[in-house]
Amino acid sequence: MRAIRRFTVRTVLPAPLAALDELAQNLRWSWHAPTRELFASIDPELWADVKGDPVALVAALGGDRLAALARDEAFVGRVRAASDDLHRYLHDPLWYQGQVSASGDVLPRAVAYFSPEFGITSVLPQYSGGLGILAGDHLKSASDLGVPIVGVGLLYGAGYFRQALTRDGWQVESYPLLDPDGLPLAILREDDGTPASVSLALPGGRRLVAHIWVAAVGRVPLLLLDSNVPENDEQARKVTDRLYGGGGEHRLQQELLLGVGGVRALRTWSRLTGAPEPEVYHTNEGHAGFLGVERIRELAADGLTMEEAAEAVRAATVFTTHTPVPAGIDRFPRDLVSQYFGGDNAMPGVPLERVLALGAEDYEGGDPTVFNMAVMGLRLGGRANGVSLLHGQVSRQMFEGLWPGFDAREVPITSVTNGVHSPTWVAPRLADLQSERLGLDELTAATASSGWLDPAKVSDVELWQMRRTLRGELVDEARRRVYSSWRERGASPAELGWVDEVLSPDVLTIGFARRVPTYKRLTLMLRDPVRLKELLLHPERPVQLVVAGKSHPADDSGKRLIQQLVRFADDPAVRHRIVFLPNYDIGMAQSLYPGCDVWLNNPLRPLEASGTSGMKSALNGGLNLSIEDGWWAEWYDGENGWGIPTADGVDDPDRRDDLEAAALYDLVEAQVATRFYERNGEGVPLRWLEMVRHTLATLGPKVQATRMVTEYVQGLYAPAAQAGRTLVADGYTAARELAGWKADVRSGWPGVRVDHVESGGIGDAVQVGDHLGVRAYVSLGALAPEDVDVQVVHGRVTEHDLIEEFTVDSLALAESYEAGRHAFAGDLRLETSGPFGYTVRIVPKHRGVASVAELGLVANA
């Protein structure tokens, strides 16, 4: 019999145990081992059954058990101590508060961090892959540092999806519905107790209403908008049904709710809690880009023009791009976007044509019929970044059409290399060892990691035993998951006796787990099945592979890759050496990373923006075996793993895969396996452990998410806060002035040109140290000399007279003539030998402009 209504009945805790509720509701437990151990001690079997979910554990405890725990003075004392520790963590000054004290009023009072997904814990499945895990690690590390961030996202009723396999290895998806009342969430309520909500107008006179749920991520509140509410019609209730589900209009509605609704949720949060309004808005990928349009609407209501409001919004916005390919960007038909911002849905003070212009691909090669969310993000982001050095370069090249006339190196997209939250990803037993022997944790990594180079602190025998223990735990977990998967695939227990022999705690273990788009090349390892079998079954140096990953439900090509790998792994000859584990999530990852000796990553370079799975492996003593792409291109040093040679320039994709697969096999056979099995008299691989120690000592500090967040704070958030404050001060005086100046410059730019350039001061034999005098005669039309910067761009040149690595120096105003003509001059000291060249250009100049290329205007000689 089907219920007509469903709700959750919450457990009432005895007074001595009341603090358990706060401990369960604050997601700090997901990375704080002592809190998890407290809950696990209540009932270890039940803890395992609820998959480490404190809320579910407390809900499952009966009244008799709760009463007994309340009478247990020792346990009550542990609860009180854990509660006191949490309160100290939530309220004591941390790194950020020290920075504020040292720097004065420089850092933002609050930062809003928008993302379509957040991977905090498997208990709250609101993520699909790396973007969400990165967002979760960002919030956790911000909490550990005391950075005043507020996260903004959507609450998906079915999360992403649960992955299973059919008998023939095909991925199938299911969508278990989540009950928010049974999750570590709290509904935000108005003073009268009713749920707080936000509302958006939809075409056709419909409304989209969303309630606001709050997750406590340590010190960081995470606001999640939920459209499955009684105020909505049936169609609107489904807007937040699942992550990345539905078609184009469904996705557009989700992104409108995230961006526009997210800003409104922030306003409601500040009104009800007294929290400061954010001074900086960080858009994690383009999905939340409509937040800029909503903030423009707010400022237009204060009397600013669209252009003036856009300047104030842009100054305080940080945009992070994660994709290295145009196909990974959300693009909507312009006509569809028009339905949501035009007609009866038009926002006062925000003309439809100006909204459409924000996402227009009005550059060479662009599609005039689409609205590009990343383009809007860049146009409304005063500061933008990629997520590794290489990805920054790729992004500058990909988006250089937005800044015509500038070299790709000057496109205003910098980079902050991703990091990972080590308390989440380092195995607890390894973390305990590091803490006891090295005094090492995430916040001391920069100094204490070097302790791994001293065998007196952790001996080779002890380190090797630790690695074997972690490998053994992975083997046990893999066998459990393989058995469960085969039962779901229809196998009977009588058929599965072989599962007890799957993998070995003494065999070199290589891990590969990630989403399964084509460019990540899940099946590169299968290019030569005979060669792979030889590696897996080698009599002296066998290898075993643990593989996991989900394909997007609509991506049949990805599903075929999974099926191909599963069918290979089903072969009785090798199934004890290679396994595919379905339903890859945070819970699986936390056993997978520590147990693997080597982490494999073989994307098609340069399509891996950053990648963080290999970082998590490295923090557990794993070595990376990777194509030099993403973060690995930046930090591979020859001693922390292996770089797989790439066949760059080979146009035939099959030929390229063959070459790179062969290189992979050669590395595993000749170097990786050889070094792993090379043992001393005590059975310890000393050369292997040298690489492990080097990895822990040198990569350990670099891959921390605390390092990443501090770079965001110092390099992006602080400048954005300062710029934003400047433009909103005194009734937006500076914003109005900047918008007026930009309008004047744009209208006058057709009259700007370099008329003539003269040089002198050097003879026929030019030497290092000589001075080159440059004098440029320019026409500025209606613009004044102070509106521009006349620059000489100089450096080494190629045989085609292209300036490769260049330096930019400003020339000074020397003379002014009639009709807007001026002379600018300066001297260059020649610092390096070899072929040298220079040119002169004119760019706009204003104290409120964050980048020389911001306006996309340049007059080159």
Side-chain angles (χ1 to χ4, degrees), residues 748-809:
W749 201 255
V752 175
R753 64 180 182 272
V754 179
D755 294 319
H756 178 61
V757 179
E758 296 177 350
S759 61
I762 55 174
D764 294 335
V766 184
Q767 297 179 328
V768 171
D770 286 351
H771 287 261
L772 173 69
V774 177
R775 188 177 183 89
Y777 297 90
V778 304
S779 293
L780 301 182
L783 300 186
E786 56 267 25
D787 291 327
V788 302
D789 191 15
V790 180
Q791 301 174 333
V792 57
V793 182
H794 57 94
R796 293 179 62 89
V797 294
T798 68
E799 59 184 5
H800 302 294
D801 289 340
L802 294 176
I803 306 175
E804 289 185 313
E805 297 298 327
F806 57 81
T807 301
V808 177
D809 288 306

Side-chain angles (χ1 to χ4, degrees), residues 277-397:
E277 294 279 4
E279 291 188 286
V280 173
Y281 293 77
H282 185 173
T283 308
N284 191 38
E285 198 43 88
H287 308 281
F290 289 121
L291 74 87
V293 178
E294 170 63 8
R295 291 176 58 219
I296 288 171
R297 183 200 64 79
E298 291 178 328
L299 296 179
D302 286 344
L304 274 67
T305 67
M306 169 100 182
E307 289 71 22
E308 293 164 350
E311 293 304 332
V313 166
R314 182 182 294 109
T317 301
V318 174
F319 174 70
T320 297
T321 176
H322 289 262
T323 179
V325 289
I329 295 169
D330 277 344
R331 301 158 85 220
F332 300 106
R334 279 172 58 93
D335 292 345
L336 180 62
V337 175
S338 297
Q339 295 176 32
Y340 285 84
F341 288 98
D344 293 339
N345 275 27
M347 291 180 167
V350 188
L352 171 62
E353 63 272 14
R354 292 290 291 113
V355 174
L356 295 176
L358 291 172
E361 294 187 356
D362 52 358
Y363 46 81
E364 185 177 352
D367 183 344
T369 69
V370 303
F371 184 95
N372 186 308
M373 295 296 289
V375 167
M376 177 173 64
L378 290 166
R379 285 181 171 144
L380 286 179
R383 285 156 183 82
N385 69 283
V387 290
S388 69
L389 276 177
L390 179 58
H391 179 235
Q393 297 170 12
V394 171
S395 298
R396 288 188 287 275
Q397 293 166 357

Side-chain angles (χ1 to χ4, degrees), residues 41-181:
S41 70
I42 294 173
D43 188 330
E45 289 188 11
L46 180 58
W47 178 251
D49 288 344
V50 299
K51 296 180 172 59
D53 179 353
V55 174
L57 176 81
V58 171
L61 294 174
D64 291 344
R65 178 58 176 149
L66 288 170
L69 288 170
R71 293 191 298 270
D72 184 339
E73 293 185 6
F75 181 77
V76 170
R78 291 177 64 200
V79 172
R80 188 179 302 115
S83 177
D84 291 344
D85 178 72
L86 175 61
H87 279 258
R88 284 191 297 272
Y89 173 83
L90 295 178
H91 301 294
D92 284 356
L94 298 175
W95 171 84
Y96 192 85
Q97 287 66 44
Q99 296 295 303
V100 170
S101 298
S103 62
D105 190 26
V106 172
L107 299 179
R109 288 181 287 278
V111 176
Y113 184 92
F114 285 68
S115 179
E117 49 177 302
F118 287 91
I120 310 293
T121 165
S122 55
V123 169
L124 192 63
Q126 301 293 307
Y127 60 94
S128 72
L131 179 70
I133 300 300
L134 180 278
D137 282 7
H138 195 106
L139 296 196
K140 293 174 187 177
S141 292
S143 175
D144 290 343
L145 293 167
V147 181
I149 279 181
V150 182
V152 182
L154 301 180
L155 180 65
Y156 302 99
Y160 191 41
F161 67 86
R162 183 184 181 279
Q163 179 195 46
L165 300 173
T166 64
R167 188 75 186 218
D168 67 350
W170 188 256
Q171 172 183 295
V172 290
E173 303 88 26
S174 60
Y175 295 88
L177 293 180
L178 305 173
D179 178 7
D181 286 314

Side-chain angles (χ1 to χ4, degrees), residues 14-39:
L17 303 179
L20 278 179
D21 185 60
E22 183 182 18
L23 290 169
Q25 291 291 326
N26 192 301
L27 292 170
R28 186 203 184 203
W29 60 258
S30 68
W31 71 90
H32 189 245
T35 305
R36 293 197 304 277
E37 291 163 3
L38 171 68
F39 283 108

